[in-house]
Amino acid sequence: MEEGGSVRWLYREKPDREEDSGWRLFEGTENDEYNSHASNISIVNVYALLDKDPSLITPLRGEFGTAFEREDINRPWTQINDWDGL
């Protein structure tokens, strides 16, 4: 959620703890090395996300095991049906 960035890829897995929604959100250009550093990962309040990008309401309604992507913030969300990343 850095300035000028937007969520372009997200998926939902089983939560790690009670307060966890299970959603994992990405800008879409992160690599494994970037994601392996805990300092690059943060917990964000869902309302803060929706304030920044109201279109997130569509994918955030998804069930566990769902994934969504889009080309950029001006494009619609597409559910990924053949994703087996879980």
Side-chain angles (χ1 to χ4, degrees):
M1 296 306 297
E2 295 177 12
E3 187 65 34
S6 66
V7 176
R8 296 183 350 196
W9 164 249
L10 66 159
Y11 65 91
R12 191 173 191 191
E13 62 185 14
K14 297 254 184 209
D16 292 333
R17 54 191 172 277
E18 185 177 329
E19 63 275 8
D20 181 8
S21 69
W23 282 108
R24 308 301 183 244
L25 294 83
F26 302 90
E27 193 274 332
T29 59
E30 303 89 346
N31 59 30
D32 287 340
E33 181 180 344
Y34 179 90
N35 290 332
S36 70
H37 294 282
S39 62
N40 293 328
I41 308 300
S42 61
I43 297 172
V44 180
N45 180 293
V46 68
Y47 297 109
L49 290 169
L50 292 171
D51 282 345
K52 183 170 178 155
D53 182 357
S55 79
L56 284 165
I57 193 70
T58 299
L60 289 176
R61 290 183 175 141
E63 300 293 325
F64 297 118
T66 58
F68 295 84
E69 69 179 351
R70 64 181 173 183
E71 291 181 36
D72 62 54
I73 197 167
N74 299 311
R75 304 290 296 213
W77 289 103
T78 301
Q79 185 168 349
I80 307 305
N81 295 317
D82 60 350
W83 185 68
D84 62 355
L86 299 177

